[in-house]
Amino acid sequence: MSKWINQEILDAFLSAVTEADELALCAGQPSSYYNAVNPPAWIAGTAYSLAAPVRPMVDRNGFTYECTTAGTSGSNEPVWPVTDGQTVTDGTAVWTARTCLACVTANLVPADFVISNGDAAGSRKLTVLPKTGMTAYATLTADHVALIDNAEKKLLMVTLMTEQAITSGNLVNVAAIYEEIGAPV
């Protein structure tokens, strides 16, 4: 049984999802971009814009940090808070802790997406091609796949996956993702 969605909304959805540039395997359902992104490491003396994400330089502590006051980072890495929503001042920038659910990510390009006719008359199918050889950076049990747009800092789509135990440092493969959306009846 496929899902039904208005064709105009479907076209906009498919167009938006194919803007995704990162796929993340997550332990739990991410509710925001910051729950799924694999951001760059923090850098001293760097100007950060509002909403920019970072992670600690060495210790992946299970959090992503959102820049909630734009500014320039200090000369020493701050002591990162490990409670969701807590803030830390770093030079003239302020960071807010966001729980990170991602344990492995892969870059996506437009060629990773295939849009085709589905099984039902008039339905459409979105396929995200498989990804192999990704190195895990956290030990978690992944049960969701997220597609994110780093340029817009948006979580574009989240879908369930078969649970997979992920161990930091190991290579991970992700099967193709298929989403069929039904046409009007």
Side-chain angles (χ1 to χ4, degrees), residues 2 48 57 64 71 80 86 101 106-108 124 132 136 141 149 172:
S2 61
Y48 285 100
M57 289 175 61
T64 296
W80 298 108
Q86 279 190 331
L101 302 174
N107 292 329
L108 295 173
R124 305 284 296 281
T132 60
T141 299
D149 178 343
V172 177

Side-chain angles (χ1 to χ4, degrees), residues 3 124-127 157 159-160 177-181:
K3 300 173 211 156
R124 305 284 296 281
K125 184 185 289 186
L126 169 69
T127 302
M157 185 180 92
T159 188
L160 286 168
I177 301 165
Y178 302 100
E179 284 293 324
E180 185 171 351
I181 303 169

Side-chain angles (χ1 to χ4, degrees), residues 53-105:
V54 297
R55 62 173 171 80
M57 289 175 61
V58 177
D59 178 25
R60 286 191 179 262
N61 61 7
F63 288 85
T64 296
Y65 297 89
E66 174 189 1
C67 185
T68 49
T69 299
T72 301
S73 59
S75 56
N76 295 309
E77 186 172 16
V79 175
W80 298 108
V82 290
T83 301
D84 195 71
Q86 279 190 331
T87 62
V88 62
T89 299
D90 168 30
T92 59
V94 175
W95 301 100
T96 300
R98 306 292 183 210
T99 301
C100 183
L101 302 174
C103 54
V104 63
T105 57

